[in-house]
Amino acid sequence: MESRALPKIKEIRAYFMGGATAEKGSGGADYHDQQEKHWIDDKVCTPMSKYKEYEQSRQSFGINVLGTLVVEIEADNGVTGFAVSTAGEMGCFIVEKHLNRFIEGRCVSEIKLIHDQMMRSTMFYAGSGGLVMNTISCVDLALWDLFGKCAQLPVYKLLGGAVRDEIQFYATGSRPDLAKEMGFIGGKMVTHFGPHDGDHGVRETAAMVADMREKCGPDFWLMLDCWMSMDVNFATKVAHACAPYNLKWIEECLPPQQYDGYREIKRNAPAGMMVTTGEHHGTLESFQTLSETGVDIMQPDVGWCGGLTTLLEIAAIAKAKGQLVVPHGSSVYSHHAVITFTNTPFSEFLMTAPEADHTRAQFAPILLNEPVPVNGRIHKSVLDKPGFGVELNPECKLTRPYQH
Ligand SMILES: C[C@H](O)[C@H](O)[C@@H](O)[C@@H](O)C(=O)O
Ligand SMILES: [Mg+2]
């Protein structure tokens, strides 16, 4: 039986929403771009926190300057796939003025060839991740969405199908106690103190964990997300200060490339406490190096690491090493991947409700039909729609700044 002829790609288009040129609070894939008084911007400790003027708000130093990139790819049969990521207007330039040449005219199934050409052709300016890798990731995800829509299959079935009936989630936010009531398996909190706060910062962080342990009982998972803000000594002290409260893991203590530091923290961590990182790592090679440090969980963001094509390769590296791969919260783009991974027993759901007191779509408002966990879970049947199963919200004002 001949395989059905698949269409060719007619046009790729890039739009943006939010970012430095827009009103604050656009949300979307740049989910740090929220309104005032949101838990996600409440004195979260970052590498900038040692500068007093930037200590209170990550938006004050520009965490939300990029905005959302939307990539649309239309096939010659009229079917259109799309994806969103964090790259904004600058991502539009890269898509329309550089990457378009590798995409238009190709068959919708030539995802790996296009991915290789995007990676090789940007090597001279991509470095090891960041804006360019976010842009490539967004194109890759749009290609997978288009392929699924042309094949009339959900992406997870294109990848070989589910290895479990549902995905269980931990929640990232300021209220693990409420997350427990909503059925999540754990709660990850941000840290508010760093090395510049000295031992007072260690004590305050441990007190926060102790308080939440009191509220959540002995077995609910509690984790800390340090967002690159620490050094080896401070992270090690915090880990040991929180060990009595059964901290399950300490996440992203250091900047991405400090591999020796991660190896050191892993070596010095309390027995049984996991060390994790990865969301700001941006190439397959960096995950190979990270895997060799011995971290327990690698946490790539599928919208930032090179897309689904790279995430599949990262998952294989982790699997070979007996490590878990638990992608950074990236909505449907990671749900379709992780339900096919045997080394991803749970996943992250990032609470974008300002008080973290109810579930709200992570990329709200840009995706229609974006699923949220019910009782902390998403069943595979929820994913049974072509592609990634979401559509662009027509009410979101998108701008196409460049054409080719
Ligand atoms: C909650 C963290 O500070 C970040 O905002 C979040 O994006 C990421 O680190 C996470 O793991 O969810
Ligand atoms: Mg994190």
Side-chain angles (χ1 to χ4, degrees), residues 107-160:
C107 175
V108 295
S109 62
E110 293 183 280
I111 298 175
K112 296 202 70 175
L113 172 62
I114 292 169
H115 187 267
D116 191 50
Q117 291 182 347
M118 290 196 292
M119 298 296 277
R120 289 171 181 270
S121 65
T122 56
M123 217 175 272
F124 73 99
Y125 69 96
S128 61
L131 169 68
V132 179
M133 205 51 70
N134 295 10
T135 303
I136 289 171
S137 302
C138 197
V139 172
D140 183 72
L141 291 167
L143 287 166
W144 280 103
D145 187 52
L146 175 60
F147 187 32
K149 285 171 176 167
C150 289
Q152 282 296 292
L153 285 171
V155 168
Y156 85 88
K157 287 187 175 168
L158 296 177
L159 302 180

Side-chain angles (χ1 to χ4, degrees), residues 88-300:
E89 181 175 353
M90 291 189 282
C92 292
F93 181 88
I94 296 168
V95 171
E96 300 265 9
K97 300 301 182 186
H98 186 187
L99 302 180
N100 67 297
R101 70 192 73 188
F102 307 115
I103 295 151
E104 291 174 353
R106 286 282 178 207
C107 175
V108 295
S109 62
E110 293 183 280
I111 298 175
K112 296 202 70 175
L113 172 62
I114 292 169
H115 187 267
D116 191 50
Q117 291 182 347
M118 290 196 292
M119 298 296 277
R120 289 171 181 270
S121 65
T122 56
M123 217 175 272
F124 73 99
Y125 69 96
S128 61
L131 169 68
V132 179
M133 205 51 70
N134 295 10
T135 303
I136 289 171
S137 302
C138 197
V139 172
D140 183 72
L141 291 167
L143 287 166
W144 280 103
D145 187 52
L146 175 60
F147 187 32
K149 285 171 176 167
C150 289
Q152 282 296 292
L153 285 171
V155 168
Y156 85 88
K157 287 187 175 168
L158 296 177
L159 302 180
V163 298
R164 60 185 70 84
D165 286 339
E166 58 183 18
I167 307 168
Q168 58 179 352
F169 292 89
Y170 73 85
T172 297
S174 52
R175 296 296 302 272
D177 53 330
L178 298 181
K180 182 182 180 189
E181 291 171 12
M182 292 180 233
F184 289 98
I185 54 172
K188 183 168 76 179
M189 295 174 279
V190 298
T191 53
H192 301 282
F193 299 92
H196 56 285
D197 297 300
D199 287 344
H200 165 71
V202 175
R203 288 193 300 273
E204 287 294 320
T205 305
M208 176 181 77
V209 176
D211 173 59
M212 204 43 78
R213 176 53 68 206
E214 183 67 29
K215 289 173 178 160
C216 295
D219 302 321
F220 186 68
W221 297 359
L222 288 178
M223 297 76 82
L224 285 177
D225 190 322
C226 312
W227 214 76
M228 307 172 279
S229 64
M230 299 183 174
D231 57 29
V232 173
N233 179 263
F234 189 82
T236 303
K237 285 182 154 185
V238 166
H240 283 269
C242 295
Y245 313 109
N246 192 15
L247 187 73
K248 188 173 184 71
W249 74 67
I250 188 164
E251 177 173 323
E252 205 181 24
C253 305
L254 308 175
Q257 309 311 327
Q258 292 189 6
Y259 297 105
D260 290 345
Y262 279 110
R263 191 176 284 109
E264 187 75 10
I265 291 171
K266 176 60 190 161
R267 193 170 27 244
N268 300 335
M273 185 182 296
M274 294 197 279
V275 174
T276 77
T277 193
E279 70 189 66
H280 293 110
H281 284 74
T283 60
L284 181 63
E285 293 78 2
S286 64
F287 283 96
Q288 173 66 36
T289 306
L290 180 62
S291 176
E292 287 160 2
T293 68
V295 295
D296 300 277
I297 305 178
M298 295 206 289
Q299 302 167 302

Side-chain angles (χ1 to χ4, degrees), residues 363-384:
F363 291 156
I366 199 158
L367 299 180
L368 293 182
N369 314 316
E370 183 180 0
V372 295
V374 173
N375 192 31
R377 285 150 180 79
I378 289 180
H379 192 271
K380 64 184 178 183
S381 58
V382 170
L383 305 179
D384 267 341

